[in-house]
Amino acid sequence: MGEWARPAVRLHPVPGSPGVTDSHIGGPLLWPADEPWPWCDGSKHDEGLTILPADSFGVPVALVSAVQLYRRDFPELPFPDGTDLLQVLLCPLEHSDEESDHFGPCVQLFWRSSAITDVLSGAPEPAVFEPQYRTRPCVLHPCRIVEYPMGDEQPVGAGDWPPVANGSKLGGWAFWWQTSPFGLECPSCGADRRLLLALYTHEEPEKELCSCEVAERAVVGWEFGREGALNVFACTQDVQHPIKLHID
Ligand SMILES: [Zn+2]
Ligand SMILES: [Zn+2]
Ligand SMILES: [Zn+2]
C-alpha cells in the first residue's frame, strides 16, 4: 500500500478578508501592474445555467481569481525555479471542449515570483458570469494528510482503503466518480499528469483523514458540475505543460 501513498494538503477554506500577500481562495491576486490581466477569448463558451449562447459565445471575458498559493505556505507544490507563487484563475462561464471532454469553467495557472514592486490595485470585473463560479473570499487553514487511490486506480485486491478527501486540496488522488481515469498523458512530453489541485463544491469533515473542524459545507459558494469537484492535473515533468481539467 505504501507505494500508492501520495501526500495531500487539505485547504480548509474559511470566509475571511485575505489580501494580495496571503494564500487564499477567491481573494485579490498579487498581479504586476504592468502585466495585462488574462481574458478568455470566448471561443469555447457554451450555454450555462443562466447564460445563453448569444450572451457568451465568442464574448471575451476577464478571468476571475480562484486560488492564490505562496511557497512559504505550501512548499510541497512543484514551483518551477525562480517562482514562489501560484495563481489560479477561472473564466466564470461554461465551456464545451469536446477534444478534452471538459465542460465547465476554463482554468489558467500562473507560476510567478512574488518579487513585484508595482502591484495592480484592482482586477477587471467580468461583464457576464455564471453565479456559481463567483466565490466569496476565504482564508486557508491547511492540514497535511496522505491519500491512497480509489476505485479504478487501485491495484487489484486492494481491499478497503481510506477515502480520498472530499474537499478542496493540493496533491493526493482524484475521485473518479463518473468515469475511469482518462487523458492523463501530457500532450507535450508524454509524461504522466497528476492531480495538482482539486476545488470542491462542498467541504466535508472526513474524520478518517483529519480531525479539523469544517464549519460550513458550501463555504466558498462555487459549484462544479452537480455538486462535484474541479480537478486540475499537471505534468509531472514540467508544470508549465498543458493542464488537464476534469469535473467529477
Ligand atoms: Zn471563457
Ligand atoms: Zn509534459
Ligand atoms: Zn484537516
Side-chain angles (χ1 to χ4, degrees):
M1 186 173 173
E3 65 181 297
W4 297 90
R6 285 185 189 171
V9 185
R10 301 198 70 183
L11 295 177
H12 291 315
V14 174
S17 306
V20 295
T21 56
D22 297 317
S23 295
H24 60 67
I25 286 179
L29 301 179
L30 185 85
W31 197 266
D34 59 358
E35 184 176 315
W37 188 260
W39 287 60
C40 174
D41 68 6
S43 62
K44 296 219 161 116
H45 285 165
D46 197 4
E47 185 172 352
L49 288 176
T50 59
I51 306 292
L52 297 171
D55 299 320
S56 71
F57 186 75
V59 176
V61 172
L63 301 192
V64 298
S65 163
V67 185
Q68 171 165 280
L69 303 166
Y70 281 90
R71 189 172 61 191
R72 60 164 198 267
D73 299 324
F74 301 98
E76 51 274 275
L77 279 171
F79 286 98
D81 286 349
T83 71
D84 62 353
L85 177 58
L86 169 60
Q87 295 168 324
V88 182
L89 292 95
L90 304 182
C91 172
L93 287 174
E94 287 295 332
H95 301 71
S96 167
D97 191 344
E98 306 276 348
E99 206 177 312
S100 63
D101 203 28
H102 172 68
F103 305 91
C106 72
V107 175
Q108 287 189 36
L109 306 185
F110 294 84
W111 301 87
R112 67 168 78 248
S113 163
S114 64
I116 298 168
T117 42
D118 202 4
V119 177
L120 185 72
S121 59
E125 278 289 310
V128 283
F129 58 86
E130 287 289 348
Q132 82 267 23
Y133 297 140
R134 299 310 300 272
T135 58
R136 64 172 152 167
C138 290
V139 296
L140 306 175
H141 293 278
C143 82
R144 270 74 186 171
I145 59 169
V146 171
E147 286 188 336
Y148 301 90
M150 291 185 74
D152 291 348
E153 287 188 302
Q154 285 184 342
V156 175
D160 204 10
W161 286 5
V164 299
N166 219 333
S168 300
K169 65 183 179 183
L170 312 177
W173 291 87
F175 186 28
W176 296 84
W177 175 256
Q178 300 178 65
T179 66
S180 296
F182 68 96
L184 294 178
E185 188 178 307
C186 173
S188 292
C189 74
D192 191 29
R193 287 187 286 190
R194 284 192 181 184
L195 188 62
L196 176 75
L197 170 72
L199 303 176
Y200 273 69
T201 304
H202 291 145
E203 303 290 329
E204 304 289 355
E206 219 76 78
K207 292 292 176 195
E208 253 184 276
L209 296 170
C210 71
S211 56
C212 304
E213 292 296 326
V214 173
E216 196 183 341
R217 284 179 81 221
V219 58
V220 180
W222 51 28
E223 180 175 2
F224 301 109
R226 286 191 182 174
E227 304 188 353
L230 171 63
N231 295 290
V232 180
F233 299 86
C235 176
T236 48
Q237 292 304 305
D238 185 339
V239 290
Q240 312 212 55
H241 284 172
I243 55 173
K244 174 184 171 61
L245 303 175
H246 178 69
I247 290 180
D248 212 333

